[in-house]
Amino acid sequence: MATANSRELIARRAEKEIADGDYVNLGIGMPTLVANYISPEKTVVLQSENGLLGIGPYPTEDEVDPDLINAGKETVTASTGAAYFNSAESFAMIRGGHIDVAILGGMEVSEKGDLANWMIPGKVIKGMGGAMDLVHGAKKIIVIMDHVSKKGEPKIKKTCDLPLTGKGVVDKIITERGLIEVTPQGLVLKEVFEGYTVQDILDATDADLTIDVRE
Amino acid sequence: MATANSRELIARRAEKEIADGDYVNLGIGMPTLVANYISPEKTVVLQSENGLLGIGPYPTEDEVDPDLINAGKETVTASTGAAYFNSAESFAMIRGGHIDVAILGGMEVSEKGDLANWMIPGKVIKGMGGAMDLVHGAKKIIVIMDHVSKKGEPKIKKTCDLPLTGKGVVDKIITERGLIEVTPQGLVLKEVFEGYTVQDILDATDADLTIDVRE
Amino acid sequence: MKTIYSSAREAVAPIEDGMTLMVGGFGLVGIPEQLILALVEKGVKDLTIISNNCGIDEWGLGLLLKEKQIKKMIASYVGENKEFERQALSGELEVELTPQGTLAEKIRAGGAGIPAFFTPAGVGTQIAEGKEIREFNGKEYVLEESLTADFSLVRALKADTFGNLIYNKTAMNFNPMMAAAGKVTIGEAEEIVEAGELDPACIHTPSIYVQGLLQAEQEKRIERLTTR
Amino acid sequence: MKTIYSSAREAVAPIEDGMTLMVGGFGLVGIPEQLILALVEKGVKDLTIISNNCGIDEWGLGLLLKEKQIKKMIASYVGENKEFERQALSGELEVELTPQGTLAEKIRAGGAGIPAFFTPAGVGTQIAEGKEIREFNGKEYVLEESLTADFSLVRALKADTFGNLIYNKTAMNFNPMMAAAGKVTIGEAEEIVEAGELDPACIHTPSIYVQGLLQAEQEKRIERLTTR
């Protein structure tokens, strides 16, 4: 499982996928951390699918408004230039291709870019929330996750075993070990992170990988 | 053709179809006149499909705002408790069955309640505007028109010859001669107005009429 | 001028066993607190509830669940509630999980007289099983049908006496679409003001969608207090 | 922070012959006056224009028509314009008339990623010819596909530097849906204010839909001056 350290590394690398001026949706959990590392040089607007464009920092105790939360139900603030709207408008933004980047967590990703991240059969069903809409809407879908499961099993596989969130939707996968792009020709390993080798990644991946690592 | 007098008579009779608390859409032309006769005892909210709920009186010269018009493109005012919204929301109200009464003009109405009121083949095509949406949305569709055309030909017919605005959509027809209800059993003459007889109406109508006039 | 109820009990009086209700809110934010409590008190049963979530064990729709008043739940995320889990697994509670954007759009469509629409969400997943799939411009979409309700219960910041509503910040969420999709919509507002006091250009729910109003204080419990 | 153009000419520079444009407004109310004038000046041709109306002979989209810059018009009502009549009857201009609510919904769907939806408007009329008809709950509906555009030109009362827009009264009309349905949307605003000056709860078009801004005075010609 990712250490605090590797979570920070993943979040920092994911931040580089965000360009100045982008509108970004960050999923619940590790993706939310990315917000902490957004360069002050960039103007980035964070969308929250419960109806806020322009998530600000967490509030001070005095600023807490119970009616102002993010999609993870945490109390937040609104940034300058923010807008509130209803859930239909929020998903119009998402589904309509207006979000530049969505960064989501993942349980499994297939070599075709299928994503499974919403349920484990036999375990309690919690629901997909906005994930199934997000994977079809944002211009770039980045999955950030541990490279292997808690049991040490590969999470990047030829095909997903878990029920899908979306088919052929992922553009990039970032783990603590490296960065993999999903291309029409299959998965391409583009970056290997400190402390790992190409072989480490091949061993921990259950799908064909083309190696195209720039030094 | 309807005289100023008969137009007033029709408008006054149409007003009786509006109940206290109703949300009403009045079409362009004669239907717009109905607004002049709405009883001060009733709270009636007039919807304008270009994005206003709560049409007020025409403005004084000082009040004129070029950005505030009705669907007939006349300058208007907004009444107390009004709301502005976009055209999609406006037709959501209409299509979604939220308008209690729509009062529209007509060129022809068939005995099945088909309405033709938007084009005459060979003549200039102006477009249907919101009429095709309105006839499917409002809970009660009332057509007000002259009983016969300028050439003296019946406008209430077995079937419409003109291109339809909607099929089986009209609930009541009010003309200067009387009031006719459209029922699953066909057209029923319910009221005969001053100056006309049942026979006058039968002669000027090209469809079967059941006579059910209460004295 | 809309009916203004003197109590939540009076407002929910016409709600009967077996009805379908839409209930606004995202998590506990923007839920009509007093109307939910009145439904619990009334003991109305076999409800079908359409709401993004199902409250928590001790608040919001979780209270209805605890009293086994809900027969079927249509929602997108129900992970905050242990009793939900128990009833869903034991088969006591019927559950229809819907992607959040599809849920919002199905409700919006219901209020807007659109019976069905195509959406990409869920294509290639179990959500699309048994539903029509069609390709437009080389991409696959699934046909989803609209939702309406016998009653919609929504929570506003302010209402005016005509029934216009405005919502507070992210407490808006599903409330406006639900207000439009209910055959009868009751707006629970923190404050009811005279008609004319709200800016006509800033109305979130125009009065046409609202049949009754209730003024009520809100507890606004916080699920995840997060501060700097 | 969005691109703020220093002139309408600069704003329309990337618009090319043969493109599809959405242009906001109902009648002459809420039309982006200076952007339209700049299109005339630029002389761009073979445009497909999606707009509820087509201006009048001497103002608004009527000016583009006069210069024969429009190849195809998608609109709901075009009765205010003699030159339109002439070009439509002579076959110079292709015309696609669409019920107003269907037009608004097709544009809304385009911006919202909904490729098609069912609507009752037009069933049993020539509008539905050649289109799929399907019954839901005993009523017939016609399948309509969404619309998008290369550029959307909208007119706002105020914009902030982020691109949030608010509209004035009934000058809102088609503008918000078009702003969302344009691949590139240019907002012509009477005033551009600093980000933070607009109330986040009263934004009609959130900044995500807007790519560029132009501040410009508006003539606001009145089609039918009616006074008490």
Side-chain angles (χ1 to χ4, degrees):
Chain A
M1 196 192 164
T3 59
N5 219 19
S6 69
R7 286 164 68 89
E8 180 181 331
L9 178 136
I10 293 172
R12 282 188 186 281
R13 180 59 191 84
E15 188 274 340
K16 291 188 189 153
E17 299 295 317
I18 300 173
D20 183 34
D22 274 357
Y23 287 83
V24 177
N25 184 294
L26 301 176
I28 294 167
M30 186 159 41
T32 303
L33 288 182
V34 176
N36 299 337
Y37 304 105
I38 293 173
S39 158
E41 319 270 287
K42 297 177 191 168
T43 302
V44 173
V45 182
L46 300 178
Q47 198 243 19
S48 192
E49 61 261 35
N50 56 318
L52 168 60
L53 195 62
I55 309 176
Y58 291 121
T60 61
E61 272 185 45
D62 287 349
E63 285 172 339
V64 168
D65 183 336
D67 283 343
L68 180 45
I69 62 167
N70 65 17
K73 294 171 190 134
E74 300 170 325
T75 47
V76 293
T77 58
S79 60
T80 301
Y84 300 110
F85 37 81
N86 66 49
S87 302
E89 182 70 46
S90 184
F91 282 93
M93 286 177 193
I94 289 169
R95 208 191 298 105
H98 305 282
I99 303 283
D100 297 296
V101 184
I103 301 178
L104 303 171
M107 294 172 180
E108 294 180 347
V109 179
S110 83
E111 62 184 18
K112 297 225 155 99
D114 302 345
L115 172 66
N117 75 349
W118 76 282
M119 77 171 283
I120 302 175
K123 285 218 180 175
V124 176
I125 300 171
K126 285 176 182 291
M128 69 296 283
M132 286 191 181
D133 306 275
L134 272 163
V135 294
H136 284 286
K139 286 176 198 144
K140 196 157 73 167
I141 304 287
I142 296 166
V143 170
I144 64 177
M145 61 180 188
D146 304 333
H147 207 96
V148 297
S149 72
K150 289 179 192 173
K151 294 181 185 166
E153 284 160 6
K155 296 174 70 171
I156 302 168
K157 309 164 79 165
K158 281 204 173 307
T159 57
C160 295
D161 292 314
L162 295 173
L164 295 185
T165 306
K167 227 172 133 176
V169 294
V170 178
D171 294 301
K172 289 186 185 181
I173 310 160
I174 301 173
T175 74
E176 75 286 0
R177 302 191 184 201
L179 183 148
I180 293 168
E181 279 183 20
V182 183
T183 77
Q185 288 74 44
L187 300 179
V188 180
L189 177 65
K190 302 289 285 188
E191 296 175 26
V192 177
F193 298 154
E194 211 184 310
Y196 295 95
T197 64
V198 168
Q199 195 57 46
D200 287 337
I201 292 175
L202 288 173
D203 289 347
T205 303
D206 200 8
D208 291 333
L209 276 187
T210 304
I211 315 298
D212 181 22
V213 180
R214 283 154 298 189
E215 295 306 317
Chain B
M1 196 190 167
T3 59
N5 220 19
S6 69
R7 286 163 68 89
E8 180 180 331
L9 177 136
I10 293 172
R12 282 187 187 280
R13 180 59 192 84
E15 189 274 341
K16 291 188 189 153
E17 298 295 317
I18 300 172
D20 183 35
D22 274 358
Y23 288 83
V24 177
N25 183 295
L26 301 175
I28 295 167
M30 187 160 40
T32 302
L33 288 183
V34 175
N36 300 337
Y37 304 105
I38 293 173
S39 156
E41 319 269 287
K42 297 178 191 168
T43 301
V44 173
V45 182
L46 300 177
Q47 198 244 19
S48 191
E49 62 261 35
N50 56 318
L52 169 60
L53 194 63
I55 309 176
Y58 291 121
T60 61
E61 272 186 43
D62 288 349
E63 286 172 337
V64 168
D65 182 336
D67 283 343
L68 180 45
I69 61 167
N70 64 17
K73 294 169 191 137
E74 300 170 324
T75 47
V76 294
T77 58
S79 60
T80 301
Y84 299 111
F85 37 80
N86 66 49
S87 302
E89 182 70 45
S90 183
F91 283 93
M93 286 177 193
I94 289 169
R95 209 191 299 106
H98 304 281
I99 303 283
D100 297 295
V101 183
I103 301 178
L104 303 170
M107 294 172 180
E108 292 180 347
V109 178
S110 83
E111 61 183 18
K112 296 226 156 100
D114 303 346
L115 172 65
N117 74 349
W118 76 281
M119 77 171 283
I120 302 175
K123 284 219 179 175
V124 176
I125 300 171
K126 287 178 181 289
M128 69 295 285
M132 285 191 183
D133 305 276
L134 272 163
V135 295
H136 284 286
K139 286 177 199 143
K140 196 157 73 167
I141 304 288
I142 296 166
V143 170
I144 65 177
M145 62 179 188
D146 303 333
H147 207 97
V148 297
S149 72
K150 289 178 192 175
K151 295 181 184 165
E153 284 160 8
K155 297 173 70 170
I156 302 168
K157 310 164 80 165
K158 281 204 173 308
T159 57
C160 295
D161 291 315
L162 295 173
L164 295 185
T165 305
K167 228 172 131 175
V169 294
V170 177
D171 294 300
K172 290 188 185 180
I173 310 159
I174 302 174
T175 74
E176 76 285 1
R177 302 191 184 202
L179 183 148
I180 292 168
E181 278 183 21
V182 183
T183 76
Q185 288 73 44
L187 300 178
V188 180
L189 178 64
K190 301 289 286 188
E191 297 175 26
V192 176
F193 298 155
E194 210 185 308
Y196 295 95
T197 63
V198 168
Q199 195 56 47
D200 287 337
I201 292 174
L202 288 173
D203 290 348
T205 304
D206 200 9
D208 291 333
L209 275 188
T210 304
I211 315 298
D212 181 23
V213 179
R214 282 155 298 192
E215 294 307 316
Chain C
M1 301 299 161
K2 296 292 157 67
T3 309
I4 298 180
Y5 298 104
S6 58
S7 69
R9 185 189 300 200
E10 192 195 339
V12 303
I15 298 179
E16 292 167 17
D17 290 356
M19 279 188 167
T20 295
L21 312 185
M22 289 184 182
V23 182
F26 182 99
L28 300 180
V29 174
I31 61 170
E33 298 182 0
Q34 296 304 314
L35 292 171
I36 293 172
L37 288 170
L39 286 174
V40 175
E41 187 193 87
K42 184 179 162 81
V44 64
K45 290 189 312 289
D46 293 325
L47 299 172
T48 294
I49 302 280
I50 301 168
S51 190
N52 189 54
N53 315 89
C54 197
I56 56 174
D57 281 318
E58 295 303 327
W59 194 238
L61 291 173
L63 299 172
L64 279 178
L65 207 55
K66 200 169 146 190
E67 302 298 329
K68 302 191 179 157
Q69 293 173 267
I70 305 179
K71 188 184 68 181
K72 181 178 177 179
M73 187 74 210
I74 300 175
S76 94
Y77 190 78
V78 289
E80 321 288 4
N81 194 315
K82 288 238 161 51
E83 176 64 13
F84 191 97
E85 231 171 271
R86 198 195 61 69
Q87 290 186 24
L89 290 174
S90 73
E92 287 167 65
L93 177 69
E94 208 182 321
V95 181
E96 193 175 310
L97 290 172
T98 305
Q100 196 172 129
T102 299
L103 182 63
E105 192 66 15
K106 281 163 80 89
I107 298 168
R108 192 257 170 199
I114 301 292
F117 58 89
F118 285 95
T119 177
V123 169
T125 77
Q126 56 182 242
I127 295 307
E129 279 167 25
K131 293 176 184 163
E132 181 182 337
I133 304 291
R134 196 183 293 196
E135 207 176 292
F136 294 91
N137 301 314
K139 188 171 167 175
E140 284 184 325
Y141 296 84
V142 54
L143 184 68
E144 294 280 1
E145 294 192 19
S146 65
L147 289 170
T148 56
D150 296 307
F151 279 80
S152 282
L153 310 181
V154 303
R155 211 284 292 291
L157 176 65
K158 288 187 188 182
D160 72 17
T161 51
F162 264 65
N164 291 300
L165 304 180
I166 60 170
Y167 304 97
N168 190 35
K169 300 178 180 168
T170 56
M172 189 184 319
N173 55 63
F174 282 81
N175 283 299
M177 289 83 69
M178 288 181 172
K183 289 189 196 85
V184 176
T185 291
I186 304 173
E188 176 172 337
E190 297 183 53
E191 191 186 355
I192 300 177
V193 302
E194 285 305 310
E197 287 189 32
L198 302 179
D199 178 354
C202 296
I203 303 294
H204 298 132
T205 289
S207 65
I208 194 169
Y209 297 126
V210 177
Q211 280 68 48
L213 295 169
L214 173 72
Q215 182 162 330
E217 229 173 275
Q218 305 294 313
E219 281 194 25
K220 300 194 184 179
R221 296 197 189 172
I222 294 178
E223 256 179 286
R224 296 196 189 138
L225 180 67
T226 327
T227 54
R228 231 181 308 187
Chain D
M1 301 300 161
K2 295 293 157 66
T3 309
I4 298 180
Y5 298 105
S6 58
S7 70
R9 183 189 299 199
E10 192 194 341
V12 304
I15 297 178
E16 291 167 18
D17 289 356
M19 279 188 168
T20 296
L21 312 185
M22 289 184 182
V23 183
F26 183 99
L28 300 180
V29 174
I31 62 171
E33 297 182 0
Q34 296 304 314
L35 291 170
I36 293 171
L37 288 170
L39 287 174
V40 174
E41 188 194 86
K42 183 178 162 82
V44 64
K45 290 188 312 287
D46 293 326
L47 298 172
T48 294
I49 302 279
I50 301 167
S51 190
N52 190 55
N53 316 90
C54 198
I56 58 174
D57 281 319
E58 295 303 328
W59 195 237
L61 292 172
L63 299 172
L64 280 178
L65 207 56
K66 199 169 148 188
E67 301 299 329
K68 301 188 181 159
Q69 294 172 266
I70 306 178
K71 188 184 69 181
K72 181 177 178 179
M73 187 74 210
I74 300 176
S76 94
Y77 190 79
V78 289
E80 321 288 5
N81 194 314
K82 288 239 161 50
E83 177 63 13
F84 190 98
E85 231 172 272
R86 200 196 59 70
Q87 290 186 24
L89 290 175
S90 72
E92 288 167 65
L93 177 68
E94 207 182 321
V95 182
E96 192 175 311
L97 290 172
T98 305
Q100 196 172 129
T102 299
L103 182 62
E105 192 66 14
K106 281 163 80 88
I107 297 167
R108 190 257 172 198
I114 301 291
F117 58 89
F118 285 94
T119 177
V123 169
T125 77
Q126 55 182 244
I127 295 307
E129 278 167 25
K131 293 176 185 163
E132 181 183 337
I133 304 292
R134 196 183 294 196
E135 208 176 292
F136 294 91
N137 300 315
K139 188 171 167 175
E140 284 184 325
Y141 295 84
V142 55
L143 184 69
E144 293 281 0
E145 294 192 18
S146 65
L147 290 170
T148 57
D150 297 307
F151 279 80
S152 282
L153 311 181
V154 304
R155 212 284 294 292
L157 175 65
K158 288 187 188 182
D160 71 19
T161 51
F162 264 65
N164 291 299
L165 304 179
I166 60 171
Y167 304 97
N168 191 34
K169 299 177 181 169
T170 57
M172 189 184 318
N173 55 63
F174 282 82
N175 283 300
M177 288 83 69
M178 288 180 172
K183 290 190 196 83
V184 176
T185 291
I186 305 172
E188 176 172 337
E190 297 183 53
E191 190 186 355
I192 300 178
V193 302
E194 286 305 310
E197 286 189 33
L198 302 180
D199 178 353
C202 296
I203 303 293
H204 298 132
T205 288
S207 65
I208 194 168
Y209 297 125
V210 178
Q211 281 67 47
L213 296 169
L214 173 72
Q215 182 163 330
E217 230 173 277
Q218 305 294 313
E219 281 193 25
K220 301 194 184 179
R221 296 197 189 171
I222 294 177
E223 256 179 284
R224 295 197 190 139
L225 180 66
T226 327
T227 54
R228 231 178 311 187

